[in-house]
Amino acid sequence: MAYRFVDNYREKGARKQLVHHLEKRGIQDKAVLKAIGKVPRHFFFDETFWNQAYRDIAFPIGDGQTISQPYTVAYQSELLHVKKGDRVLEIGTGSGYQTCILLELGAEVFTIERQEALYNRTVVVLPYMGYKPHFFLGDGSKGIPEHAPYDKIIVTAGAPFVPEVMLGQLKLGGLLVIPVGDEKEQKMVTILRVGENDFERIELDTFRFVPLVGDKAW
Ligand code: SAM
């Protein structure tokens, strides 16, 4: 694929329209909207498909995976309530778009991807764009225990259940956002760690993600 990193008036305008659209769909967090307005989503697309980059749709990024729909990225980001300096673990780097949004929100991001081709691309492209998370290649269904605990964990693939190992990697007061369900659809679930062994679980809207594949997943 041929990638080009030019952000001209057409893409900037389309990005503004996307922000308005997300506001209309109910995204309220100003910091999230600002981040969406800043990150050039078309940089994650082959130039042939730039006209698709600011539509509110998921899009194939190769290796059978997708860049998440902007609404989904905004929805999960809003739920995370990222504070500056939060240590955030992201499971499923994919294109790296969500990673950039988390960095714009001020997080220190630890991001893991199981597919080598996607990992190889993001480790080059994101720093080129000025975004510097900590990159990992491997099975994120077990979290990344070496760098735990985290303030927040976000899973960007659909899980069959909540992997318990992830809960143990949350700080007290830490939050996990994870889509849980079958292959067809998943409920967005948030889990807040309120004590050593106490967790508060909330089930929210329905989404459709690619599957979380791994030791503690599908
Ligand atoms: N948020 C990403 C973006 O904006 O491009 C979208 C990610 S895509 C919907 C889900 C990603 O999770 C895929 O790239 C997939 O390879 C990855 N994935 C699935 N299971 C995984 C696992 N166990 N560990 C790490 N990554 C995984």
Side-chain angles (χ1 to χ4, degrees), residues 30-193:
K30 296 286 176 221
V32 170
L33 292 167
K34 192 172 166 199
I36 301 263
K38 184 138 185 235
V39 178
R41 191 166 185 261
H42 62 287
F43 284 7
F44 300 86
F45 289 62
D46 183 286
E47 194 175 348
T48 325
F49 301 114
W50 277 11
N51 60 350
Q52 303 293 312
Y54 295 101
R55 291 181 62 204
D56 192 13
I57 53 170
F59 204 80
I61 53 172
D63 298 283
Q65 301 303 325
T66 52
I67 179 170
S68 300
Q69 184 177 348
Y71 177 72
T72 307
V73 171
Y75 185 98
Q76 286 197 289
S77 303
E78 188 165 71
L79 286 175
L80 276 182
H81 297 291
V82 174
K83 290 198 296 294
K84 207 170 165 41
D86 270 359
R87 289 163 55 84
V88 178
L89 170 61
E90 179 194 30
I91 295 158
T93 315
S95 69
Y97 176 66
Q98 171 78 74
T99 318
C100 296
I101 299 292
L102 295 170
L103 289 164
E104 284 290 346
L105 291 171
E108 180 183 6
V109 183
F110 300 78
T111 185
I112 181 163
E113 172 57 53
R114 65 181 281 276
Q115 296 216 33
E116 201 167 350
L118 295 175
Y119 166 86
N120 285 340
R121 185 176 131 67
T122 49
V123 293
V124 174
V125 170
L126 265 58
Y128 183 80
M129 289 169 64
Y131 292 107
K132 296 191 178 130
H134 308 282
F135 293 103
F136 299 87
L137 173 65
D139 177 9
S141 71
K142 297 177 277 194
I144 310 182
E146 301 87 322
H147 295 277
Y150 305 98
D151 297 285
K152 315 277 162 64
I153 301 178
I154 171 174
V155 181
T156 71
F161 51 82
V162 176
E164 267 202 47
V165 279
M166 285 185 201
L167 299 179
Q169 292 175 31
L170 282 174
K171 285 184 188 172
L172 211 61
L175 184 74
L176 167 66
V177 175
I178 180 169
V180 183
D182 56 28
E183 285 105 325
K184 284 201 190 113
E185 57 176 41
Q186 304 87 34
K187 290 276 181 206
M188 196 64 76
V189 172
T190 65
I191 299 182
L192 180 68
R193 184 170 202 175

